[in-house]
Amino acid sequence: MPALSPTMTSGNIGTWQKSAGDTIAPGDVLVEIETDKAQMDFEFQEDGVLAKILKESGEKDVAVGNPIAVMVEEGTDIAPFESFTLDDAGGEKAPPAKESGEEAAESSEPADTGSKTSPSTLPKSAPQEESAPQPQESESTGGRLQTSLEREPLASPLAKALALERGVPIKQVKGTGPGGRITKQDIEKYKPASSAAPATATAGAGPTYEDIPASSMRKTIANRLHQSMNQSPHYFVAATLSVSKLLKLRQALNTSADGKYKLSVNDFLIKACAIACKKVPAVNSSWREIDGQVVIRQYKTVDVSVAVATPIGLMTPIVKGVEALGLSSISGQVKDLGKRARDGKLKPEEYQGGTFTISNMGMNPAIDRFTAVINPPQAGILAVGTTKKVAIPSSTEDGNGVEWDDQIVVTASFDHKVIDGAVGGDWIREFKNVVENPLEMML
């Protein structure tokens, strides 16, 4: 099992792209591996022949370094390997304890801070018990990946997204792709069984619920939220922003772009976050414990994590060095990162890190405002609501009247360990000033 990210300690086996007896060339995709954040292709870097698969598609929680297949040189007779077993390859070790392994994975940066509260310095009593020989037996006979909408290892990311959009129960779909993989076409052709309606009426004989196994991604999200709420004392600062000028500037720029780019409101807000972070650098910081010394690390560049909803959970790909980027560049990166996040194709370095996060739910007209949970080890996150037209009293020559103003409500969550309340207020003031005077973003 290869380590495909700095925090990966175990992985799940997806679809094997090669079968026993197939010749492998450098760069060929051997198998899909599910990490805690994404499903990635494992490309083999040597010539050889796949002699035996030791871990079949669907095996989960395979520790990094454990044998998953046998490779031999070209020309080698693979017949003797038909009876080759995992024990013949040296056996397998138990995966690291869930507490330390998953908490390391949940950090938005690799766990190399030296913090006393970091995963590497947590008590080791539980891992010692879990690494005893007895758990190996239950693990070797243990569960395989269950077919579920949250994580179906034999379904393409596009198929999962389409199934979620159309409400198709993906575990009832028969895959026609390689190795039984469910494709987009399978979802489009799916038709519910004619007996589905009567079955619902007589469902009293069976359970009235379904237990869906939590995916690695969902477990990581749960751990991250738990860590953030326990270790980061949140406080919230809200402001109402006029975006009428911003919307007019956006329309003018998109009209003159000749199709080269199409800016969104979120692109402007990402840029405004970076400008505010440069003006109030204390917000662009994180709390660290290094070699027993507590420090506040203040970053010189603003790397904005952008929250993206995917079929398997929330991901936060990073637009790096936003303070030095133009709006069209930000727009292009956000679209590219968002697409690859939904397709499960992000590289670890594209979602690990970041100095500030923005979460925009403005595309949902029902959401006026909301509060977001800080993305550790960052110290701040901005939650953006939808745009509303608000009547503003005005004085005219004909008397009193009203003007219609486009407004949004934003709520910033700050870590009080790092950012005092007054500093958080300064940041939201600078952010409001930039958004309401958007030409400053062009300077």
Side-chain angles (χ1 to χ4, degrees):
M1 171 64 70
L4 299 180
S5 75
T7 59
M8 178 178 170
T9 57
S10 64
N12 304 332
I13 304 293
T15 304
W16 283 94
Q17 303 298 326
K18 300 291 183 179
S19 304
D22 288 352
T23 300
I24 311 295
D28 284 354
V29 175
L30 183 62
V31 63
E32 293 179 353
I33 301 293
E34 178 193 5
T35 70
D36 58 343
K37 279 288 190 179
Q39 188 156 316
M40 307 174 69
D41 293 333
F42 173 41
E43 297 181 357
F44 205 67
Q45 300 303 320
E46 298 180 17
D47 291 306
V49 175
L50 179 59
K52 176 75 173 181
I53 294 175
L54 301 176
K55 289 287 187 180
E56 297 292 339
S57 296
E59 293 283 354
K60 66 177 182 178
D61 292 334
V62 180
V64 169
N66 276 1
I68 60 173
V70 179
M71 302 293 297
V72 297
E73 295 181 356
E74 290 190 54
T76 303
D77 183 13
I78 66 171
F81 290 96
E82 291 183 4
S83 59
F84 197 85
T85 66
L86 192 61
D87 290 335
D88 295 328
E92 60 179 334
K93 63 181 180 180
K98 294 293 183 185
E99 181 177 353
S100 60
E102 289 186 359
E103 194 148 344
E106 73 190 34
S107 177
S108 63
E109 295 183 3
D112 58 356
T113 65
S115 169
K116 287 185 177 180
T117 59
S118 70
S120 61
T121 58
L122 292 175
K124 302 297 183 182
S125 57
Q128 289 173 355
E129 293 177 3
E130 292 184 10
S131 62
Q134 291 149 350
Q136 290 188 12
E137 182 178 354
S138 63
E139 182 186 341
S140 63
T141 60
R144 300 165 64 89
L145 281 178
Q146 300 295 319
T147 306
S148 68
L149 186 55
E150 281 193 13
R151 166 56 69 196
E152 171 52 54
L154 297 181
S156 69
L158 185 58
K160 296 174 192 173
L162 188 60
L164 180 63
E165 178 183 336
R166 297 189 177 185
V168 174
I170 200 167
K171 67 180 182 178
Q172 298 180 15
V173 179
K174 184 176 180 180
T176 60
R181 184 182 181 90
I182 297 173
T183 65
K184 174 186 175 184
Q185 289 73 25
D186 296 327
I187 300 297
E188 292 175 338
K189 295 177 181 178
Y190 171 77
K191 294 182 179 179
S194 57
S195 60
T200 303
T202 60
T208 58
Y209 59 85
E210 177 185 6
D211 290 332
I212 301 175
S215 65
S216 297
M217 178 71 166
R218 181 52 52 188
K219 293 176 185 177
T220 298
I221 292 173
N223 282 333
R224 286 184 58 78
L225 296 176
H226 185 267
Q227 176 197 10
S228 180
M229 296 306 293
N230 279 349
Q231 299 181 10
S232 302
H234 288 53
Y235 72 91
F236 310 98
V237 181
T240 300
L241 315 179
S242 170
V243 293
S244 295
K245 293 180 181 178
L246 187 150
L247 294 178
K248 291 178 181 178
L249 176 61
R250 170 178 174 260
Q251 182 180 15
L253 292 174
N254 284 340
T255 301
S256 63
D258 293 330
K260 296 179 181 177
Y261 56 81
K262 185 177 182 181
L263 303 178
S264 69
V265 172
N266 205 44
D267 299 331
F268 285 88
L269 299 182
I270 292 170
K271 181 66 176 180
C273 284
I275 295 174
C277 283
K278 294 300 287 185
K279 291 186 175 182
V280 188
V283 171
N284 199 43
S285 306
S286 63
W287 181 272
R288 302 281 176 163
E289 294 182 29
I290 302 175
D291 297 329
Q293 180 182 4
V294 177
V295 300
I296 294 176
R297 179 175 294 175
Q298 193 170 110
Y299 301 94
K300 297 180 180 179
T301 62
V302 185
D303 300 336
V304 179
S305 302
V306 182
V308 176
T310 76
I312 59 173
L314 186 71
M315 294 197 71
T316 52
I318 304 162
V319 182
K320 298 182 179 180
V322 176
E323 76 283 355
L325 297 178
L327 290 167
S328 62
S329 179
I330 293 172
S331 179
Q333 289 192 42
V334 169
K335 288 181 175 64
D336 174 62
L337 290 168
K339 182 180 184 303
R340 289 193 288 118
R342 286 183 285 271
D343 291 343
K345 298 298 183 182
L346 287 179
K347 299 176 182 178
E349 60 269 21
E350 292 176 321
Y351 58 78
Q352 290 178 340
T355 63
F356 188 85
T357 297
I358 182 171
S359 179
N360 191 340
M361 296 182 70
M363 68 293 298
N364 186 335
I367 298 176
D368 290 333
R369 68 184 73 193
F370 70 102
T371 56
V373 179
I374 295 170
N375 183 20
Q378 298 173 12
I381 183 171
L382 184 71
V384 182
T386 194
T387 304
K388 298 282 188 181
K389 284 193 174 295
V390 179
I392 305 296
S394 64
S395 298
T396 64
E397 295 179 356
D398 299 330
N400 295 330
V402 295
E403 295 180 354
W404 292 97
D405 186 34
D406 292 293
Q407 296 182 357
I408 59 174
V409 177
V410 297
T411 307
S413 308
F414 295 118
D415 183 350
H416 218 316
K417 297 197 312 293
V418 182
I419 305 167
D420 289 334
V423 177
D426 290 342
W427 188 91
I428 205 78
R429 182 186 62 209
E430 294 295 342
F431 179 79
K432 177 181 174 73
N433 181 64
V434 173
V435 171
E436 294 185 344
N437 300 278
L439 288 176
E440 186 174 340
M441 303 182 203
M442 313 295 292
L443 299 178

